[in-house]
Amino acid sequence: MWLPLIGILIGIILGMTLPINIPTAYSSYMSIAVLAALDSVFGGIRASLDRKFESDVFISGFFGNAILAAGLAYIGDRLDVPIYLCAIFVFGYRLFNNFAQIRRHFLGLLRKKSYVQEKPDK
Amino acid sequence: MKKFSDKIAIMLVCMILGLMLAAQFKNVQNVGGNVSLQRAQELTSQIQKLNQDIANQQNLIQELEDQLMEYEAAAQDAGKLNETMYRDLERARNLAGLTDLEGAGVVVTVNLVSYQEWGETGIIRNVYHEDLLMLVNELNAAGAEALAINDERIIASTEIRDAGDYIVINTNRYSAPFEIKALGNPDTLEASLMLLGGVADTLGEELEIKIRKENLIRIPKYSGSLQFDYAIPVQ
C-alpha cells in the first residue's frame, strides 16, 4: 500500500535534484504525458484494490498512454487540431472516475469495520 | 494476494511519475507556464518590427558614414565650400524634420469623454485616425512649421492610420490621449482650430479638445530613418 507513495516521493526528490530539463517547446506535451501517467497510476491503485491488478497491463498502460497522449498532442499541434483538449478531457474524466472508485472502496471498508464493531453490542 | 514483483513494478512506475511531475514542475517554475498563442504572436510581430528597425538603422549608419567621408574629402579641397555645404545640410535637415526644434506654438490635447449611466462608465466614442488627420491638416493650413503627435514628429512620409484599438504614427502604436504639438504663430494656429464650425467645434461635440498656447514648445526630431530606394533625383 505504501510502496506507490514512497515511489512517487523518491521520484520527486530525484527529479528535483537531478538536472533534468525539458525544452520549453515540449513542455505542453510533457504536461499531457504527466496527466496520462497520473491516470494510469490511479487506475493501477484501483485495480489492485479490486484484486484485478496485472502488472503487464499496468506498465504497458502507463507508458503507452503517456506516449500516445503526448504524441497525439504533438500531431494535433502540427495539424492545428487541438487534440490535447481531448486527451485532457478523457484522462481527467478517468482520473476522477478512478478516484471515486478508490474512495468508495475505502468507505466500504470503513462501513464494514464499524458494522463489525457494533455487532457484539447487540 | 499481490506478488512481490507487482509491488516493485508499481513502485518503479510511481517513481517515474514522480520524476515526470518534478521535471514538469521545475519547467513551469522556470518558464512561467504555457505562453499563450496571442502573446506569442504579439511578440513575433514585435521582433519583426525591431529587426526591421535595426536594418533601417544600419542602413542609416552606412549612409551617414559615406556622407561623412565625402564631406571630409571636400573639406580637404576647400574650406569655404565646406561651410556652405554644411549650412545647406543643416537647413535641409531642419526642413525635413531630422532635428529637434523649439519655439512658440500651440499644444492640442485630444481625449475621450467618459460619462456615467446607471453606474456604468462608458465613452462617447474613441479617437479615430481621421480626427488626428483633420487636426494636423488644419494646423498645416494655418502655417504650422513643425508638428508632433505624442512626440512622434510628423514629416512628409508620416502615416496616421487605424490599427484596431490603436493609431499607428511613424510605425509606433498610440491610443488616447493624444497631444499634438505645433510650432508656429500661436494666435493663428489657435484661431484656425477655433473657427465656428471648424475642427475643434466639430470634434468637441464628442471628444475633449483642449488648445493651449505656449511660448516655448520642444518638438523632437523624427526618430526613424529616411531613405529612398526607388526615387532618383532628376538631373
Side-chain angles (χ1 to χ4, degrees):
Chain A
M1 181 62 232
W2 293 105
L3 280 176
L5 272 182
I6 295 167
I8 286 182
L9 272 181
I10 294 174
I12 287 176
I13 292 164
L14 271 181
M16 285 312 223
T17 46
L18 290 179
I20 304 171
N21 268 322
I22 305 149
T24 322
Y26 300 119
S27 166
S28 57
Y29 311 130
M30 186 66 188
S31 63
I32 300 282
V34 166
L35 187 62
L38 263 177
D39 165 60
S40 288
V41 168
F42 267 86
I45 294 171
R46 197 199 80 191
S48 77
L49 290 174
D50 292 351
R51 322 241 154 169
K52 284 190 294 192
F53 181 82
E54 286 163 70
S55 59
D56 47 352
V57 172
F58 175 62
I59 292 168
S60 65
F62 180 87
F63 291 109
N65 277 348
I67 291 166
L68 185 70
L72 274 181
Y74 175 78
I75 291 169
D77 265 8
R78 296 305 104 185
L79 301 177
D80 204 11
V81 181
I83 299 179
Y84 66 91
L85 284 178
C86 165
I88 287 179
F89 180 76
V90 169
F91 288 120
Y93 174 76
R94 282 179 38 170
L95 198 75
F96 282 109
N97 243 358
N98 283 335
F99 180 72
Q101 298 227 5
I102 293 168
R103 191 167 41 90
R104 292 227 171 84
H105 178 91
F106 281 111
L107 282 178
L109 279 185
L110 274 178
R111 249 181 236 151
K112 228 186 252 169
K113 216 185 253 172
S114 59
Y115 182 69
V116 171
Q117 276 172 350
E118 278 169 20
K119 203 117 194 230
D121 298 348
K122 283 181 185 171
Chain B
M1 203 53 221
K2 284 184 287 182
K3 279 181 280 178
F4 183 67
S5 63
D6 284 357
K7 289 187 177 176
I8 296 296
I10 294 189
M11 190 175 150
L12 272 179
V13 165
C14 283
M15 231 172 85
I16 294 171
L17 173 66
L19 213 76
M20 283 164 80
L21 280 176
Q24 178 69 7
F25 177 75
K26 270 205 301 196
N27 206 28
V28 172
Q29 291 286 98
N30 285 347
V31 188
N34 253 342
V35 180
S36 78
L37 195 64
Q38 258 180 329
R39 178 81 183 129
Q41 278 170 353
E42 204 180 301
L43 290 175
T44 315
S45 70
Q46 265 180 26
I47 290 172
Q48 276 171 353
K49 187 171 168 293
L50 287 176
N51 277 341
Q52 210 183 345
D53 275 4
I54 290 171
N56 283 343
Q57 299 287 350
Q58 277 169 344
N59 279 337
L60 187 71
I61 288 171
Q62 187 60 42
E63 210 174 286
L64 288 175
E65 276 173 356
D66 288 352
Q67 253 180 29
L68 198 65
M69 266 183 19
E70 276 171 39
Y71 282 134
E72 274 169 2
Q76 283 174 345
D77 284 351
K80 202 175 175 188
L81 186 65
N82 180 29
E83 204 176 300
T84 15
M85 252 160 68
Y86 180 73
R87 229 184 300 135
D88 271 3
L89 183 68
E90 270 307 291
R91 199 176 113 75
R93 286 166 66 84
N94 285 339
L95 289 176
L98 298 177
T99 48
D100 288 354
L101 296 174
E102 59 183 15
V106 293
V107 177
V108 185
T109 49
V110 183
N111 209 345
L112 306 170
V113 178
S114 57
Y115 64 91
Q116 290 228 328
E117 196 177 58
W118 308 109
E120 279 184 50
T121 314
I123 52 167
I124 294 179
R125 74 167 173 92
N126 218 332
V127 180
Y128 303 134
H129 69 293
E130 287 101 340
D131 307 336
L132 297 181
L133 281 171
M134 274 164 71
L135 284 166
V136 166
N137 207 19
E138 208 59 38
L139 287 168
N140 269 332
E145 287 165 8
L147 284 166
I149 302 182
N150 286 7
D151 281 346
E152 283 292 348
R153 182 68 170 270
I154 307 299
I155 59 166
S157 62
T158 295
E159 82 283 19
I160 299 175
R161 57 186 282 268
D162 252 346
D165 290 338
Y166 304 95
I167 292 176
V168 174
I169 304 169
N170 284 346
T171 73
N172 292 320
R173 303 194 298 184
Y174 293 96
S175 50
F178 293 95
E179 188 185 56
I180 305 176
K181 291 181 190 167
L183 291 189
N185 183 338
D187 295 324
T188 321
L189 292 178
E190 191 193 23
S192 76
L193 294 178
M194 298 290 276
L195 278 176
L196 196 63
V199 180
D201 211 13
T202 323
L203 298 180
E205 288 173 8
E206 292 166 320
L207 297 167
E208 182 191 275
I209 309 259
K210 279 188 197 150
I211 301 167
R212 204 166 70 234
K213 286 191 278 186
E214 300 236 351
N215 287 328
L216 191 67
I217 305 177
R218 199 180 162 85
I219 291 196
K221 65 182 180 205
Y222 175 67
S223 56
S225 70
L226 283 175
Q227 60 186 26
F228 287 146
D229 287 330
Y230 296 99
I232 302 162
V234 178
Q235 295 297 324

